[in-house]
């Protein structure tokens, strides 16, 4: 199976200084562009920043927002922090699994949606909270997680 088209990678790499402190910004840009971190891109980042590949992998695997597996076009994150848990996050998650036809922690086969859990996103007063492509949706109701439009 062919990998993703990385023709835009040189432009991304050259948009930042060739300094090790640019590792996380570059990984974030790559994640944003390809919705995951292709191995070839990680090698190119290591070379660009003169860092050991193991260090690049270590940082890439530390952050939950970075992924080695392609995420869906839309990212739905259910907060499972304490406040959201107490306000019904489990029911919201179950409802979303059903309505989106994807299991928690997985990407739908058509690549359109990834559903995952996250820790507290800092909006506890709005519990239960769901993030849709990085935007907070608060007081989400269980059945159908009303208000979420994909
Ligand atoms: S516990 Fe969900 S936003 Fe804080």
């Amino acid at each position: 199976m062919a990998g993703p088209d990385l023709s835009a990678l040189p432009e991304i790499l050259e948009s930042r200084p060739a300094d090790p402190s640019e590792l996380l910004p570059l990984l974030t840009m790559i994640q944003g562009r390809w919705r995951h971190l292709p191995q070839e891109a990680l090698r190119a980042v290591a070379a660009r920043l003169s860092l050991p590949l193991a260090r690049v992998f270590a940082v890439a695997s530390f952050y939950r927002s970075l992924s080695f597996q392609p995420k869906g076009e839309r990212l739905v994150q259910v907060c499972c922090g304490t406040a959201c848990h107490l306000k019904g996050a489990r029911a919201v998650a179950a409802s979303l699994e059903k309505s989106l036809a994807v299991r928690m922690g997985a990407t739908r086969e058509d690549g359109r949606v990834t559903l995952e859990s996250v820790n507290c996103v800092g909006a506890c007063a709005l519990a239960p909270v769901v993030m849709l492509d990085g935007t907070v949706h608060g007081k989400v109701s269980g059945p159908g997680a009303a208000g979420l439009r994909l």
Side-chain angles (χ1 to χ4, degrees):
M1 187 170 119
D5 175 7
L6 298 179
S7 57
L9 184 58
E11 185 179 341
I12 288 175
L13 294 175
E14 289 161 21
S15 73
R16 310 291 299 195
D19 185 278
S21 67
E22 297 294 330
L23 176 54
L24 189 54
L26 279 174
L27 293 178
T28 301
M29 291 169 76
I30 291 166
Q31 175 75 39
R33 175 67 175 76
W34 287 281
R35 291 184 277 126
H36 76 295
L37 302 171
Q39 280 199 11
E40 282 305 305
L42 295 178
R43 290 185 216 291
V45 168
R48 167 78 174 161
L49 303 182
S50 301
L51 288 171
L53 185 57
R55 169 119 181 259
V56 174
F57 270 98
V59 170
S61 57
F62 179 79
Y63 292 95
R64 286 193 68 184
S65 60
L66 303 174
S67 172
F68 297 116
Q69 299 300 320
K71 294 203 176 189
E73 295 164 20
R74 310 296 303 272
L75 179 59
V76 181
Q77 299 169 303
V78 180
C79 178
C80 292
T82 302
C84 289
H85 177 74
L86 293 174
K87 292 280 189 168
R90 189 173 296 178
V92 170
S95 176
L96 286 170
E97 282 185 317
K98 190 172 180 185
S99 64
L100 299 175
V102 62
R103 294 191 60 94
M104 187 62 69
T107 298
R108 209 163 66 192
E109 273 188 33
D110 63 7
R112 298 206 50 200
V113 180
T114 294
L115 179 64
E116 60 186 26
S117 63
V118 291
N119 295 325
C120 179
V121 298
C124 304
L126 301 175
V129 167
V130 171
M131 300 269 288
L132 175 57
D133 297 329
T135 300
V136 170
H137 293 260
K139 300 190 185 300
V140 176
S141 63
L148 286 181
R149 298 277 180 255
L150 293 176

